[in-house]
Amino acid sequence: MSLVELIAQADERGLAASGMACLDRCVPLLGGDDETLRPLWGSLAEDAAAEEWAERLEQIRGKLDAVHGADGTRGAEVAAELAYRMLTTAPAERSTAVLRGWAQACSVTALRVHRILDGGDPAEDAADAVEAAREGRTEGLPLSPLCSAELRRQITVLEVLAGHGPAGLRRALEVSTEGRRVLVAALSRRNRRDG
């Protein structure tokens, strides 16, 4: 199944995890680390209270707002702004209808961030290529290695949650942690090149 189809079929937990995983992989652009979104991941556990999502989201926003933009050496400004938009648009309401739109937007945004960090021109509109990749039409697409790997991670997170429900959260978190480390390495390379 394509990424678009997986998002269309995902349940509330899968959608929340999908959007959050995209944000989690990009959180270093906002000054965050491996632990930044962990409380939010915890709010998706089977035994978590419904209101935990909104409470933890607000706490994380407060922490990341404090460091966002404080250091101009974090890498591509456009990529950081895109990542920040994922955070600010995260819905406090954990409903399927609201989360589906956010998960779709995060998917596109995370792919754009990875394209930029892999040397893509931030001003160049690659929306058609990103959408084609999300629809599974990757043959002949000029996808960078970083962008291709991000696409695979997004698909893996949704497949794991669709197949295992709450039990798949640990694997989804592992996929995001791996992707975050790849992004940090790409950001470091970019800073060395630009610096």
Side-chain angles (χ1 to χ4, degrees):
M1 251 191 284
S2 72
L3 181 53
V4 169
E5 290 169 325
L6 286 166
I7 292 175
Q9 294 183 17
D11 63 10
E12 177 193 303
R13 181 180 281 107
L15 293 168
S18 174
M20 184 173 45
C22 290
L23 172 60
D24 200 4
R25 289 188 292 277
C26 297
V27 85
L29 289 161
L30 304 177
D33 59 23
D34 285 0
E35 298 302 314
T36 302
L37 293 188
R38 198 168 286 267
L40 203 54
W41 281 100
S43 73
L44 297 180
E46 202 162 20
D47 58 351
E51 64 275 4
E52 284 184 38
W53 168 269
E55 290 169 3
R56 293 177 182 185
L57 178 60
E58 200 53 43
Q59 291 168 357
I60 289 164
R61 278 190 180 134
K63 286 179 188 172
L64 290 177
D65 279 345
V67 297
H68 174 65
D71 178 356
T73 64
R74 283 205 186 96
E77 279 185 35
V78 174
E81 285 306 317
L82 289 169
Y84 190 64
R85 192 177 312 148
M86 282 192 272
L87 174 66
T88 58
T89 59
E93 178 191 346
R94 243 186 72 184
S95 72
T96 304
V98 174
L99 287 168
R100 195 171 317 280
W102 181 62
Q104 290 280 17
C106 287
S107 169
V108 171
T109 300
L111 288 166
R112 287 183 63 202
V113 165
H114 284 77
R115 188 186 68 77
I116 290 167
L117 292 180
D118 220 5
D121 182 352
E124 180 186 307
D125 185 7
D128 289 346
V130 166
E131 202 49 44
R134 293 178 70 248
E135 291 170 0
R137 297 180 286 119
T138 55
E139 193 173 327
L141 273 184
L143 285 183
S144 68
L146 204 58
C147 200
S148 295
E150 170 60 15
L151 180 67
R152 283 192 303 275
R153 284 187 191 95
Q154 289 187 26
I155 289 169
T156 300
V157 165
L158 284 159
E159 286 177 342
V160 163
L161 288 163
H164 303 285
L169 284 171
R170 181 180 299 278
R171 176 66 185 132
L173 179 57
E174 289 170 359
V175 169
S176 282
T177 300
E178 172 200 342
R180 190 180 327 107
R181 292 179 181 153
V182 169
L183 183 137
V184 167
L187 193 55
S188 177
R189 282 193 305 273
R190 186 182 179 99
N191 285 342
R192 281 197 306 272
R193 188 186 69 222
D194 295 349

